[in-house]
Amino acid sequence: MAVETKEPDDHYDVVDYTPYPYNVPAARRRVAQLAADWGCPAVAGDAALLASELITNALLHGCLRERLFRVELFLSGSVLRVAVTDPKGERRPRPRAADPYSDQFGRGLLIVRSLANRWGVEGRTVGKTVWAELNTGAPEQAR
């Protein structure tokens, strides 16, 4: 479901997904395609990887059975924001060091930190939103 924004140069998209692993590649492809369609092909791959990591974290640590998670993509000026909202607000993400020889998990937020220009967590009445921003290299447009 796409939503129109108030600013003519801004772009916004939001989709709610069921908490199943098959939705990770579907959302990742959507983010990459929208970033390219919105004039940001240089960061489409990074945006897709950020979405994939944030969604996987939501599925592993923040989702509840039969409760949807939300993926939002927002482009304003030269900043592209990927945000994932899940229903478990008490489970806040924090980067940790993974054992390179035995840990299968634990690198997602390290990837997010290294790719994103900024990232953070916002509490909600129910759940939380984890977001990451990329500078697109496009000049800020005068408003």
Side-chain angles (χ1 to χ4, degrees):
M1 135 176 131
V3 178
E4 291 186 35
T5 61
K6 295 177 179 73
E7 297 293 331
D9 296 325
D10 289 347
H11 296 279
Y12 178 73
D13 184 76
V14 59
V15 178
D16 292 328
Y17 294 93
T18 54
Y20 297 107
Y22 60 80
N23 279 316
V24 177
R28 181 177 55 236
R29 283 189 300 271
R30 183 176 182 85
V31 165
Q33 186 63 56
L34 286 172
D37 290 350
W38 294 349
C40 306
V43 298
D46 287 348
L49 182 53
L50 288 171
S52 184
E53 293 300 331
L54 296 178
I55 293 164
T56 300
N57 278 349
L59 288 177
L60 290 173
H61 308 293
C63 284
L64 298 168
R65 192 173 173 89
E66 304 305 320
R67 294 285 304 272
L68 302 176
F69 69 92
R70 173 170 285 181
V71 178
E72 294 175 275
L73 190 65
F74 183 59
L75 174 66
S76 182
S78 65
V79 176
L80 183 67
R81 176 182 276 218
V82 178
V84 177
T85 301
D86 67 58
K88 277 194 175 176
E90 70 277 7
R91 298 281 315 258
R92 297 295 180 115
R94 64 187 199 304
R96 65 180 179 92
D99 181 340
Y101 302 106
S102 64
D103 283 353
Q104 180 180 0
F105 302 102
R107 294 169 183 82
L109 286 178
L110 298 174
I111 293 169
V112 169
R113 275 195 339 195
S114 66
L115 280 179
N117 297 101
R118 288 161 302 285
W119 76 279
V121 182
E122 297 171 357
R124 304 180 64 83
T125 303
V126 174
K128 67 181 171 302
T129 299
V130 183
W131 56 268
E133 292 180 342
L134 292 168
N135 294 333
T136 65
E140 284 283 349
Q141 298 179 359
R143 302 224 184 227

